[in-house]
């Protein structure tokens, strides 16, 4: 993910390292609903003042997913939804924590692809691009790759 901050620490450009878990329900060949829990952090930014700047983002999201089956084993999709989350950017002070811990909600949109394999396409490799509309981060997006089991 790439980001820059619009808070008092000037511009911060670096990467957050994400972990993501998701689940969903496929209604038919062309439509699904999905929920995910996403957490990203990085504590090694140089913010121009000192080297102890931390940044993190955590979100619980829900999305509607439109699917285009290209072939039996390959599908493209786009998704749109919302999230509830928390952003935190600031100096990591020993006793006081960071300077900007903010609850957030907003829209999330993205696109990706599924590569299906196995009997009855039970296994899927997926690649996601997601963009989060946040107040703390000007440009927060994530590219994730993962594996899913379909039952």
């Amino acid at each position: 993910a790439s980001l820059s901050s619009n808070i008092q620490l000037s511009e911060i450009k670096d990467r957050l390292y994400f972990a993501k878990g998701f689940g969903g329900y496929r209604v038919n060949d062309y439509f699904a609903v999905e929920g995910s829990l996403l957490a990203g952090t990085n504590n090694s930014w140089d913010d121009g003042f000192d080297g102890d700047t931390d940044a993190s983002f955590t979100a619980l999201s829900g999305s509607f997913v439109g699917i285009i089956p290209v072939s039996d084993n390959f599908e493209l999709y786009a998704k749109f939804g919302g999230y509830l989350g928390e952003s935190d950017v600031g100096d990591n002070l020993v006793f006081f924590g960071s300077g900007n811990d903010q609850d957030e909600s907003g829209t999330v949109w993205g696109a990706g692809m599924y590569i299906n394999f196995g009997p009855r396409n039970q296994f899927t490799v997926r690649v996601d691009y997601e963009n989060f509309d946040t107040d703390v981060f000007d440009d927060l997006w994530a590219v994730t790759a993962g594996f899913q089991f379909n039952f």
Side-chain angles (χ1 to χ4, degrees), residues 66-128:
I67 303 164
I68 300 171
V70 177
S71 71
D72 287 342
N73 297 324
F74 183 74
E75 299 169 312
L76 299 173
Y77 66 89
K79 62 182 173 178
F80 183 81
Y83 76 91
L84 297 172
E86 181 178 88
S87 296
D88 188 7
V89 176
D91 292 333
N92 191 10
L93 303 174
V94 175
F95 297 108
F96 303 108
S98 69
N100 189 24
D101 184 2
Q102 183 172 336
D103 291 335
E104 296 203 59
S105 62
T107 58
V108 59
W109 58 271
M113 66 178 186
Y114 302 125
I115 301 170
N116 303 309
F117 60 96
R120 299 184 327 254
N121 288 334
Q122 280 186 300
F123 305 101
T124 300
V125 174
R126 63 185 277 162
V127 177
D128 292 325

Side-chain angles (χ1 to χ4, degrees), residues 38-60:
L38 181 81
T41 189
N42 189 341
N43 63 0
S44 61
W45 280 333
D46 181 5
D47 64 4
F49 300 109
D50 60 37
D52 291 336
T53 301
D54 292 344
S56 66
F57 178 76
T58 305
L60 180 64

